[in-house]
């Protein structure tokens, strides 16, 4: 509960100084490995931008050089990232485990979610019609993230939702859907070939 | 394109506003679904609608979600939107005492008051801001962008403004990808044809507000207790007389904070909540209707406030208006100082849409409060995968591009890392949207004033903006140093406490 409040309160301006102070006193490091990872990532990215910006062709004078703002941004972000990295390490970020940093969030669940979404977007939809790909994706997601749902509700929802989306968006609004075809297109093809 | 405000009161316009309000209220009530997510998903879908219908629909959804978050906040202590967290703090104890309906009814009534306040400020100040903005040169425009990103970073970075600035700078850097606007030279395209047009901000927005939040919610296991009783919803009339001071204070806070680029309704709600506690001497967390008033008036007044810089300067007041800006850009409408000549009638159309959305939010919400309670029990394991599908469809609908789907996916993953690391999204969004403006205007300024940079000091508006930028960075650095010093002191105290407890043991 405390960790959940901490995650929610992170984005909020609260003057509950006493409770915030209590939480910080209980858990000494306020940064974790993610902060270090991001700071390093930004350091590398900003360095690349600054160097690459200098190499961009200048068609006319330096005053309108296309690489000007990238170089300025790269250099200033490099400094900011270095400071953030130093602060994170000094705050003990490397002593904190990912599990402790995650608090009430389960990193394995997050990883599985990302993996399934990736397979859906770049794997299933590349080879299957929208409804089929989406149905398989939903079944997998429901199996893991809706374990209390019965078999019939999960299967019915996994089949029904993509069909509903197809009918609503492609049928109703004419919005094309990703994937290798869908129900509406199949129906149109059958009508044309029948005639 | 010409906008006709009378379309808002036509049968189609009213139907769209009704549908949008209802959808927004239900959406906002569902935990894990924010107003930003709703707007991000709908932007792509509204591409195929007419511009006027799209504007009415998006405004209605936005207004609806800002109230909708209060329903789950009060009834189950899980705010539907981040801006409803103070409402949960003040309202949930009321629900536990069986006064949940009263808290929600108060939230609804005073949300309407907040919307009115925001609208009055917008109508009054927009013409003045437009007149002022038309006198801006490239120097002032560049400083405005810099100010927007820096203030947004300072405010949303919380105890570490540096993270907010880093986030903003990241957005600016992403905006540099593509052909440069002055010479057409490709930058950071790596030979990929799809990158020549730059990284479109819509897939990034959908990734950050849709996919990131989905991953975040799915990663947490949470059981939602379904409330058994809602109770009377309509608040007594004497509440207006009782809480008018708090409503007025919250209106001012909401509109001012809304007008600050990047500062969203969540900041407005919390600042108003804190001001309210200090002004009344009460502790709202014990359950107090006045706390609900402070929070809800502010987060709705923020809507009108946020539209002020968005429409007059083309600088989004918060993430939701950034998405509105994106939606209008898809329809070829560019908000900014030239809005009255580029899109005649747009401002009046916007005012009418806000009025209509406010009216329907108030009337429809009373009908939807009790049905929404049942929706609260929908498992996130069903809702979130559906959101994933909608993210995909929304991204694909806008450009029919699988590349953009890839951008959305990467944004979602990176966004989750940034979220875990405490990096706010609002400055990133601002930087992404305003980056091209900053780039073009900086170079133009240097080219025009080459060798005469001292003349920039004689431009009064530019000087004020320049000082504001410096102050914003100074304030952020000072706050960062204060927090570092406080953390160090607390860590030392905690260490001593642990050492003495070990000795006693």
């Amino acid at each position: 509960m405390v960790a959940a409040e901490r995650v929610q309160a992170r984005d909020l301006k609260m003057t509950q100084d006493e409770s915030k102070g209590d939480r910080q006193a209980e858990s000494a490091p306020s940064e974790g490995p993610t902060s270090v990872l991001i700071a390093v990532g930004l350091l590398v990215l900003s360095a690349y931008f600054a160097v690459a910006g200098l190499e961009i062709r200048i068609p006319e004078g330096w005053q309108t050089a296309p690489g000007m703002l990238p170089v300025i941004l790269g250099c200033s972000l490099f400094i900011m990232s270095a400071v953030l990295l130093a602060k994170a390490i000094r705050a003990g970020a490397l002593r904190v485990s990912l599990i402790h940093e995650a608090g009430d969030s389960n990193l394995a669940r997050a990883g599985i979610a990302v993996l399934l979404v990736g397979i859906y977007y770049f794997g299933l939809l590349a080879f299957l019609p929208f409804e089929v790909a989406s149905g398989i994706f939903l079944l997998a997601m429901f199996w893991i993230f809706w374990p209390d749902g019965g078999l019939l509700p999960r299967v019915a929802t996994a089949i029904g939702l993509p069909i509903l989306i197809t009918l609503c968006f492609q049928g109703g609004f004419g919005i094309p859907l990703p994937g290798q075809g869908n129900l509406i297109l199949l129906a149109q093809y059958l009508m044309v070939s029948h005639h | 394109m010409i906008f006709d405000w009378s379309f808002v009161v036509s049968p189609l316009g009213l139907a769209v506003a009704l549908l949008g309000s209802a959808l927004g209220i239900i959406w906002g009530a569902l935990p894990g679904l924010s107003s930003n997510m709703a707007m991000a998903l709908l932007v792509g879908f509204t591409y195929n609608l007419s511009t006027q219908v799209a504007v009415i629909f998006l405004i209605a959804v936005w207004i609806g979600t800002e109230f909708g978050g209060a329903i789950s906040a009060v009834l189950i202590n899980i705010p539907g939107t981040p801006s409803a967290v103070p409402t949960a703090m003040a309202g949930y104890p009321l629900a536990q005492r069986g006064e949940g309906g009263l808290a929600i009814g108060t939230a609804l009534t005073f949300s309407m008051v907040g919307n009115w306040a925001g609208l009055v400020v917008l109508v009054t100040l927009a013409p003045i801001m437009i007149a002022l903005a038309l006198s801006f040169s490239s120097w002032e425009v560049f400083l405005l962008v810099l100010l927007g990103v820096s203030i947004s970073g300072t405010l949303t970075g919380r105890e570490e403004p540096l993270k907010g600035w880093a986030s903003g700078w990241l957005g600016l850097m992403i905006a540099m990808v593509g052909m440069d606007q002055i010479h057409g030279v490709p930058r950071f395209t790596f030979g990929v044809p799809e990158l020549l047009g730059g990284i479109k901000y819509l897939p990034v927005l959908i990734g950050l507000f849709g996919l990131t939040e989905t991953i975040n919610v799915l990663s947490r296991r949470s059981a939602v207790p379904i409330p058994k009783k809602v109770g009377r919803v309509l608040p007594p009339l004497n509440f207006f007389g009782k809480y008018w001071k708090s409503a007025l204070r919250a209106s001012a806070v909401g509109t001012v904070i809304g007008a600050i680029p990047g500062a969203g309704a969540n900041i407005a709600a919390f600042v108003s909540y804190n001001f309210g506690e200090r002004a009344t001497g009460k502790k709202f967390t014990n359950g107090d209707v006045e706390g609900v008033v402070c929070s809800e008036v502010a987060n709705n007044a923020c809507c009108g406030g946020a539209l002020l810089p968005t429409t007059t300067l083309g600088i989004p007041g918060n993430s939701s208006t950034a998405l509105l800006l994106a939606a209008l850009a898809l329809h070829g409408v560019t908000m900014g100082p030239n809005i009255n000549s580029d899109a005649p009638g747009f401002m009046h159309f916007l005012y009418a849409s806000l009025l209509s959305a406010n009216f329907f939010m108030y009337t429809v919400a009373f009908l939807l409060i009790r049905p929404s309670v049942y929706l609260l029990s929908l498992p996130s394991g069903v809702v979130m995968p559906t959101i994933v599908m909608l993210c995909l469809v929304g991204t694909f609908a806008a450009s029919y591009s699988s590349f953009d789907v890839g951008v959305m996916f990467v944004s979602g993953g990176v966004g989750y890392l940034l979220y875990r690391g405490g990096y706010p999204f609002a400055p990133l969004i601002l930087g992404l949207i305003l980056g091209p403006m900053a780039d073009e205007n900086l170079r133009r300024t240097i080219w025009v004033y080459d060798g005469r940079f001292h003349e920039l000091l004689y431009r009064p508006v530019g000087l004020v903006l320049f000082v504001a930028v410096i102050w914003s960075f100074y304030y952020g650095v000072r706050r960062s140093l204060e927090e570092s010093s406080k953390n160090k002191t607390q860590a030392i105290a905690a260490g001593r406490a642990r050492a003495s407890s070990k000795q006693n043991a």
Side-chain angles (χ1 to χ4, degrees):
Chain A
M1 189 59 181
V2 171
E5 284 174 347
R6 185 160 53 87
V7 170
Q8 275 190 347
R10 182 183 297 164
D11 286 338
L12 307 166
K13 185 171 170 58
M14 296 170 68
T15 54
Q16 291 177 332
D17 289 327
E18 57 277 6
S19 60
K20 189 173 161 200
D22 287 343
R23 287 198 292 277
Q24 286 181 338
E26 282 164 12
S27 56
S30 56
E31 299 275 8
T34 309
S35 300
V36 174
L37 185 68
I38 294 171
V40 169
L42 287 175
L43 211 59
V44 169
L45 185 69
S46 56
Y48 168 74
F49 256 74
V51 170
L54 286 170
E55 291 169 0
I56 294 175
R57 186 169 62 90
I58 303 175
E60 289 178 26
W62 69 270
Q63 295 90 340
T64 56
M68 184 193 304
L69 193 56
V71 169
I72 295 171
L73 292 172
C75 292
S76 44
L77 184 59
F78 187 86
I79 296 169
M80 285 192 251
S81 311
V83 171
L84 283 169
L85 180 63
K87 283 182 119 178
I89 293 173
R90 211 168 55 215
L94 294 175
R95 296 200 309 267
V96 176
S97 70
L98 273 174
I99 309 282
H100 183 263
E101 183 199 35
D104 66 330
S105 294
N106 186 319
L107 291 179
R109 286 166 69 88
I112 289 170
V114 172
L115 185 66
L116 287 176
V117 171
I119 292 171
Y120 171 48
Y121 283 176
F122 306 112
L124 296 174
L125 283 169
F127 301 104
L128 298 170
F130 174 77
E131 293 83 1
V132 177
S134 303
I136 295 171
F137 165 71
L138 286 176
L139 261 178
M141 290 292 268
F142 291 163
W143 210 258
I144 296 166
F145 297 105
W146 188 20
D148 301 332
L151 178 64
L152 191 59
R154 284 188 280 186
V155 171
T157 310
I159 293 172
L161 255 178
I163 293 174
L164 184 66
I165 286 181
T166 302
L167 290 172
C168 186
F169 291 107
Q170 173 118 29
F173 293 110
I175 296 173
L177 297 174
Q180 302 305 311
N182 55 59
L183 266 182
I184 303 288
L185 290 176
L186 178 64
Q188 287 169 347
Y189 170 74
L190 288 172
M191 274 168 50
V192 165
S193 54
H194 177 73
H195 286 299
Chain B
M1 111 154 262
I2 297 174
F3 287 80
D4 179 11
W5 72 266
S6 63
F7 179 80
V8 178
V9 295
S10 68
L12 178 60
L14 292 173
V16 169
L18 171 67
L19 180 67
S21 299
L23 179 66
I25 290 167
I26 294 170
W27 187 281
L30 291 171
L33 305 184
S34 64
S35 57
N36 291 335
M37 191 195 278
M39 300 281 282
L41 292 177
L42 289 170
V43 167
F45 296 135
T46 55
Y47 179 61
N48 291 283
L49 302 174
S50 77
T51 310
Q52 295 189 123
V53 167
V55 171
I56 296 173
F57 188 60
L58 286 171
I59 295 281
V61 167
W62 180 29
I63 299 288
T65 51
E66 288 300 342
F67 160 68
I71 297 176
S72 54
V74 167
L75 294 181
I76 58 173
N77 199 27
I78 300 178
T81 55
S83 59
V85 171
T87 307
M89 286 158 59
Y92 182 62
L94 289 169
Q96 288 179 309
R97 297 203 289 260
E99 293 174 88
L102 183 67
I104 294 174
T106 306
L108 174 61
T109 304
F110 283 90
S111 291
M112 188 190 61
V113 169
N115 282 328
W116 271 107
L119 182 59
V120 165
V121 167
L122 179 65
V123 170
T124 311
L125 293 183
I128 302 169
M129 294 269 300
I130 287 174
L132 186 66
L134 282 171
S135 66
F136 286 176
S137 73
S138 49
W139 172 234
E140 282 85 17
V141 173
F142 169 71
L143 285 174
L144 261 177
V145 172
L146 195 60
L147 181 65
V149 176
S150 64
I151 276 195
S152 174
T154 304
L155 289 178
T156 58
R158 304 291 160 206
E159 60 270 12
E160 190 48 88
L162 208 52
K163 285 188 178 175
W165 298 334
S167 186
W169 256 235
L170 181 61
L172 286 168
M173 276 165 51
I174 295 171
M176 295 297 105
V177 175
M179 303 258 279
D180 111 84
Q181 288 173 296
I182 295 179
H183 297 297
V185 172
R187 297 183 294 193
F188 312 107
T189 55
F190 307 105
V192 176
E194 287 89 349
L195 286 178
L196 281 174
I199 294 178
K200 298 189 199 70
Y201 48 75
L202 182 61
V204 176
L205 292 175
I206 294 178
L208 289 178
F209 292 121
L211 211 50
T212 297
E213 191 54 30
T214 301
I215 299 168
N216 193 28
V217 171
L218 286 174
S219 69
R220 289 187 248 147
R221 291 177 201 272
S222 53
V224 175
I226 307 166
K228 294 191 178 72
K229 189 181 157 206
V230 173
R232 172 201 166 136
V233 173
L234 204 60
L237 278 172
N238 69 351
F239 271 20
F240 286 104
K242 214 170 160 187
Y243 303 120
W244 70 270
K245 282 186 191 164
S246 288
L248 196 62
R249 187 191 322 115
S251 300
V253 169
T255 47
V256 167
I257 290 181
I260 299 173
N266 51 346
I267 295 177
F270 255 97
V271 170
S272 172
Y273 184 92
N274 291 330
F275 279 9
E277 279 192 325
R278 286 183 204 181
T280 59
K282 294 195 255 182
K283 203 85 181 126
F284 293 150
T285 42
N286 296 331
D288 198 319
V289 164
E290 197 155 11
V292 173
V293 169
C294 291
S295 170
E296 287 297 309
V297 170
N299 72 25
N300 279 270
C302 208
C303 296
L307 281 168
L308 191 57
T310 311
T311 52
T312 60
L313 303 174
I315 293 177
N318 58 17
S319 304
S320 297
T321 49
L323 289 154
L324 185 67
L325 201 133
L328 283 165
L330 277 179
H331 288 269
V333 177
T334 307
M335 290 207 263
N338 298 316
I339 187 69
N340 287 331
S341 51
D342 291 346
F346 175 77
M347 294 304 289
H348 293 106
F349 187 87
L350 184 67
Y351 304 149
S353 301
L354 283 166
L355 268 172
S356 174
N358 201 20
F359 169 75
F360 280 113
M361 179 206 73
Y362 189 67
T363 48
V364 166
F366 279 114
L367 300 170
L368 287 178
I369 286 173
R370 287 180 210 277
S372 295
V373 171
Y374 296 105
L375 287 176
L376 295 178
S377 60
L378 273 178
S380 58
V382 176
V383 175
M384 291 302 144
T386 312
I387 298 298
V388 168
M389 282 172 54
L390 292 177
C391 285
L392 167 73
V393 175
T395 305
F396 194 79
S399 56
Y400 315 148
S401 164
S402 302
F403 182 80
D404 285 351
V405 173
V407 168
M408 187 261 292
F409 178 73
V410 170
S411 302
V414 170
Y416 183 68
L417 277 179
L418 290 175
Y419 173 79
R420 293 238 62 92
Y423 287 74
F425 291 164
L428 194 155
I429 301 300
L430 269 183
L432 185 60
I433 291 176
L434 301 176
M437 200 191 287
D439 180 40
E440 191 186 333
N441 284 283
L442 172 66
R443 289 193 279 158
R444 191 179 295 145
T445 301
I446 294 174
W447 180 64
V448 167
Y449 286 92
D450 184 26
R452 302 178 286 121
F453 293 121
H454 61 277
E455 288 180 20
L456 291 171
L457 295 170
Y458 301 134
R459 297 186 65 86
V461 176
L463 193 59
V464 168
L465 289 172
F466 185 72
V467 168
V469 168
I470 300 296
W471 175 86
S472 169
F473 283 118
Y474 163 73
Y475 176 71
V477 167
R478 203 183 76 181
R479 209 169 85 213
S480 179
L481 291 172
E482 280 170 3
E483 281 297 328
S484 293
S485 162
K486 198 167 36 163
N487 288 345
K488 202 173 164 185
T489 310
Q490 284 171 344
I492 291 169
R496 283 184 187 150
R498 278 196 295 273
S500 72
S501 68
K502 274 184 187 163
Q503 271 185 341
N504 292 338

